[in-house]
């Protein structure tokens, strides 16, 4: 009796240990296969398919023999791969940009006139801003173009978007809110190329005739279109921020005899400020990275507007530079386009981290306020 | 006592002041809308209304509003109207009028009087200070109505006095654009009527905090309606332009819809269509979903069910947000540098699928994570109490409960990537063509690694958004290029917005069911 129970336990323990060993072996095989496949793919070997099949086989076996452990490992792999993808993007975009980063150095941000302070050259000048034949690549005109269009877009999308969010979240009756909010979210989905087409076919000629401009296409129009495009996104996110303000805060103000407008101005908006700023930052991020509208509307000349503040001039943005030149670029020229990508990538990453920080602060503040 | 108060209040509601204020707001809204239509050149200076030229008509409206607003203010001050104004209109109002004065004085000094930078700036700054203090130090009823009335009357006078006539042209130095009277006059009138309407709305409620609320609500409301109108107008415009060419030769019985079922054949007598592009887009979406969604859902599961909050999770969150915000053109560059050389060396459908899959990943991850988080912990506890293992709980309790949320996220993500042009520009391209990519029929086994080949996957394929771009750059058959473009834009819009509509509708439905 005791013998058999002892035997039983032994067997169970052995089974568990064996199963553990089995799982460990399985993970080792699967992991090595996947790693091998990845490395071979990166090294551009078509043989990568062999270890990949091995990985699939190991996973298949694991799914039937040790489902729980396999599932857990697979979810872990999924998580890791998001980091890997971001890593790959960073590495490859930088890698391709490297030759030109090396060639130009700080002159990547150089003006045609060197910047000197007390006889010390801080920023050496470039012969011309963008010359593919002489391999001189300065991103200054494109950065200026992106900056100008982003500022115009923000000036449109931020105030109007926040006001509209205020209307949706605080003023509109429930029925209006329930129909308009989804409508705004759907409008946020209009593809940018559609805006671009509209700008190219209709708005370009409209401004050309009615403002008697020297050229079709202008930074002003691009900013206008991008601002319009970013509006629904800003409205929707800012509305979420406003509605997440606890009702108790609002009720307190109303109970003190404030009008609804006073409550909005002095309680709701300040409380939701971080969320609303995050919405605006998201909008700015979208404006910086917006490609198609700028590409289609602008006439692509890689120079600074003359004079600088002329928003009706027809120059270039970082995104439209890439989209308009990739087709006939190779060698250093292509690498130069990647430097534009690097600048975009870094800018937007900073904006996104900033927005996330602000959001975290809001969550903490509202959580603590309750 | 209380009874007489009530009747006095009730009488006041429909008093002269209220009627005048509503009339001013009413005229203001009409003038505002007509002015904006003139800025958009839908109405022009050649239009006549009631025997008066449009611009003069609008100016007369602004003039009447200005006078009405001044009457409202003076009436309140002299006690003719029952109001309860504050001591001051407030610093914000004063500052805004100050900025207005700064702009007007600056423009007049620099452009009309031709003063130098120092001169116009000094004059503008003085105007700003004077306006700021003048408004801030007067009682609210006078302080908000007189300047507003002044703005309206001034704008009207400029237009009626033919200073801002259609022939007016202003060519600011340093800008390569000319502002003509035809554009500027209605713009100035629109601003003026908005200011006057705001003042009248304040007067309607008798000033004070309630008056300020009404004034602000008017502006906020106009803004919201304006945004929706512009965006809806945009959709309507594209539909108007696109429906005609998109439904050319359409018939229900027998079913024929050449634009959707034909390719681009470059033949004059056959309707050119977008069938290959539709098929290409479908394949792109399928490929992206296969690549992106499983990974995203797996990561979301790991982050919510297995992982403890810590450094690794923090890193993943940063990576997700980074991926989410990375501009689409950078994804394109990445695909060009990493995927294209490794997948056949030329732009291809499979590269496009993978790049869009990578873009879809963060979108789905964020929404799936929210959906899995939203599954109440009671479900998990109840399952655990029954002795069910963690994985069994996830598989049979958590995942089914979170499925609607996950699906919604996928649908919305697909809507977004289906309309993306910038990434496929660099990795897929593929112009106008007659035949659709045949992915299923192109699989074949080969003797050398990788042992499976698919020509259709390794070639460029057309897609709706890229095709729209191609109609612009390539300027396809010049004759009806614009029409073909509008029709493509319309079809693309219908496809993308249907995804959004379905996704959002399902989200609302499931949220309601969860709360019920």
């Amino acid at each position: 009796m005791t013998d058999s129970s002892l035997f039983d336990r032994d067997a169970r323990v052995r089974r568990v240990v064996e199963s553990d060993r089995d799982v460990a072996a399985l993970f080792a095989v699967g992991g090595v296969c996947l790693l091998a496949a990845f490395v071979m793919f990166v090294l551009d070997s078509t043989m990568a398919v062999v270890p990949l099949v091995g990985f699939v086989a190991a996973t298949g076996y694991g799914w039937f023999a040790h489902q729980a452990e396999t599932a857990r490992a697979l979810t872990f792999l999924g998580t890791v791969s998001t980091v890997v993808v971001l890593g790959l993007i960073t590495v490859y975009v930088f890698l391709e940009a490297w030759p030109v980063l090396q060639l130009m150095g700080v002159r990547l941000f150089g003006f045609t006139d060197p910047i000197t302070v007390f006889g010390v050259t801080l920023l050496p000048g470039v012969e011309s801003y963008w010359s593919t034949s002489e391999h001189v690549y300065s991103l200054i005109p494109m950065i200026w173009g992106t900056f100008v269009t982003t500022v115009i877009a923000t000036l449109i999308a931020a105030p109007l978007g926040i006001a509209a969010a205020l209307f949706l979240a605080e003023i509109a009756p429930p029925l209006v809110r329930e129909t308009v909010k989804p409508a705004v979210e759907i409008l946020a989905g209009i593809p940018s190329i559609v805006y671009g087409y509209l700008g190219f076919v209709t708005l370009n000629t409209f401004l050309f005739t009615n403002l008697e401009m020297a050229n079709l296409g202008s930074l002003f129009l691009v900013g206008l279109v991008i601002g319009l495009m970013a509006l629904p996104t800003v409205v929707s996110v800012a509305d979420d921020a406003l509605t997440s303000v606890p009702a108790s805060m609002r009720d307190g103000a109303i109970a003190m005899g404030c009008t609804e407008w006073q409550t909005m101005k002095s309680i709701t908006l300040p409380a939701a400020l971080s969320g609303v700023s995050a919405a605006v930052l998201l909008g700015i991020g979208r404006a910086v990275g917006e490609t198609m509208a700028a590409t289609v509307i602008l006439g692509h000349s890689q120079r600074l507007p003359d004079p600088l503040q002329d928003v009706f001039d027809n120059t270039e943005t970082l995104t439209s530079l890439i989209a308009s030149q990739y087709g006939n670029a190779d060698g250093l020229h292509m690498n130069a386009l990647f430097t534009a990508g690097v600048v975009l990538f870094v800018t937007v990453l900073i904006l996104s981290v900033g927005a996330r920080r602000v959001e975290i602060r809001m969550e903490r503040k509202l959580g603590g306020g309750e | 006592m209380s009874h007489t108060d009530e009747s006095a209040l009730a009488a006041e509601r429909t008093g002269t002041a209220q009627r005048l204020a509503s009339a001013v707001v009413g005229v203001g809204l009409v003038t505002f809308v007509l002015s904006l239509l003139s800025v958009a050149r839908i109405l022009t200076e050649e239009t006549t209304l009631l025997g008066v030229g449009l611009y003069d008509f609008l100016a007369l409206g602004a003039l009447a509003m200005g006078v009405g607003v001044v009457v409202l203010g003076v009436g309140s001050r002299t006690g003719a109207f029952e109001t309860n104004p504050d001591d001051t209109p407030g610093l914000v109002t004063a500052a805004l009028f100050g900025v207005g004065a700064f702009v007007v004085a600056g423009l007049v000094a620099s452009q009309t009087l031709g003063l130098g930078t120092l001169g116009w700036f000094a004059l503008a700054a003085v105007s700003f200070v004077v306006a700021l203090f003048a408004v801030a130090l007067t009682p609210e009823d006078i302080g908000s109505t007189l300047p507003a009335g002044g703005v309206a009357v001034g704008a009207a006078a400029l237009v009626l006095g033919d200073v801002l006539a259609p022939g007016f042209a202003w060519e600011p130095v340093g800008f390569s654009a000319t502002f003509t009277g035809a554009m500027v006059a209605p713009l100035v009138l629109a601003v003026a009527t908005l200011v006057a309407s705001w003042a009248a709305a304040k007067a309607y409620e008798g000033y004070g905090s309630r008056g300020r609320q009404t004034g602000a609500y008017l502006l906020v409301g106009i803004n919201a309606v304006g945004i929706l109108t512009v965006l809806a107008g945009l959709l309507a415009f594209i539909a108007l332009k696109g429906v005609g060419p998109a439904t050319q030769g359409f018939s229900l019985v027998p079913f024929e819809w050449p634009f959707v079922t034909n390719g681009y054949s470059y033949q004059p007598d056959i309707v050119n269509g977008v069938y290959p592009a539709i098929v290409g887009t479908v394949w792109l979406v399928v490929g992206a979903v296969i690549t992106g969604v499983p990974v995203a859902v797996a990561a979301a599961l790991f982050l919510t069910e297995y992982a403890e909050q810590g450094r690794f999770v923090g890193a993943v969150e940063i990576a997700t947000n980074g991926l989410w915000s990375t501009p689409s053109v950078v994804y394109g560059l990445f695909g060009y540098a990493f995927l294209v050389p490794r997948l056949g060396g030329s732009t291809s459908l499979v590269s496009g699928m993978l790049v869009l899959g990578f873009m879809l990943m963060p979108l789905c991850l964020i929404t799936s994570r929210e959906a899995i988080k939203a599954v109440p912990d009671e479900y998990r506890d109840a399952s655990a109490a029954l002795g069910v293992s963690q994985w069994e709980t996830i598989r049979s309790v958590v995942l089914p409960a979170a499925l609607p949320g996950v699906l919604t996220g996928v649908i919305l993500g697909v809507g977004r990537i289906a309309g993306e042009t910038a990434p496929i520009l660099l990795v897929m391209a593929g112009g106008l063509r007659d035949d659709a990519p045949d992915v299923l029929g192109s699989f074949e086994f080969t003797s050398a690694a990788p042992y499976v080949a698919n020509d259709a996957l390794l070639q460029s394929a057309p897609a709706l958004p890229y095709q729209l771009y191609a109609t612009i750059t390539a300027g396809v058959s010049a004759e009806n290029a614009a029409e073909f473009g509008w029709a493509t834009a319309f079809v693309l819009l219908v496809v993308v917005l249907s995804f959004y509509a379905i996704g959002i509708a399902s989200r609302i439905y499931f949220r309601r069911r969860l709360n019920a």
Side-chain angles (χ1 to χ4, degrees), chain B residues 50-314:
Chain B
L50 309 173
V52 189
L54 177 66
Y55 285 13
D56 286 344
F57 181 81
L58 296 177
L60 285 175
L63 186 68
M65 290 176 67
V67 173
V69 167
V70 171
V71 169
L72 281 169
V74 174
S76 155
R77 192 75 322 230
T78 55
F81 303 137
E82 198 84 18
T83 55
N84 45 355
D86 288 351
D87 293 339
T88 164
L91 217 53
V92 178
T93 311
L96 285 176
F97 276 120
V99 170
F102 182 91
V103 172
V104 171
L107 283 178
V108 169
S110 64
Q111 305 298 323
T112 315
L113 304 179
L115 298 183
T117 314
L118 204 68
W120 76 253
F121 190 80
L123 205 65
V126 169
S127 312
F128 172 76
V129 173
V130 169
L132 178 75
F133 279 102
V135 174
L137 294 180
T138 40
E140 193 191 11
D141 46 1
I142 291 290
S144 54
T145 51
L146 283 196
V151 168
V153 171
L158 280 180
V159 176
L160 287 174
D162 276 345
V163 179
L164 275 182
F168 167 90
W170 175 46
E171 211 171 328
V173 182
F175 290 96
S176 51
T178 310
F179 297 95
T180 57
M183 292 282 273
V184 175
L187 202 60
V188 168
L189 285 174
V191 174
T193 49
L194 211 54
V195 174
S197 304
W198 163 80
K202 276 180 88 169
Y204 181 85
E205 282 287 349
Y207 312 99
S209 45
R210 293 191 60 80
R212 279 206 281 275
Q213 165 160 320
T214 316
Y217 276 17
L218 180 79
L219 294 186
V220 172
I222 288 178
N223 170 60
V225 172
I227 289 177
L228 282 177
T229 314
V230 167
L231 289 173
L234 201 139
L235 290 189
F237 184 74
I238 292 166
L240 208 68
K241 289 267 192 181
V243 166
T247 52
Q248 197 184 345
F250 175 82
S251 77
L252 213 54
V253 183
F255 185 78
E256 264 175 26
W257 193 354
F259 189 77
V260 169
T261 52
N262 279 9
Y264 201 92
S265 53
Y266 294 95
Q267 286 167 14
D269 48 338
I270 299 175
V271 176
N272 287 316
V274 289
Y275 176 69
I278 292 176
V279 174
T281 298
V282 168
W283 275 116
L284 268 182
V285 166
V286 168
V289 167
I290 292 175
T291 332
V293 173
V295 174
V297 174
L301 266 183
F302 184 82
L303 290 176
T304 39
E305 298 295 316
Y306 293 118
E308 302 281 327
Q309 191 70 32
R311 215 171 261 175
F312 177 66
V313 174

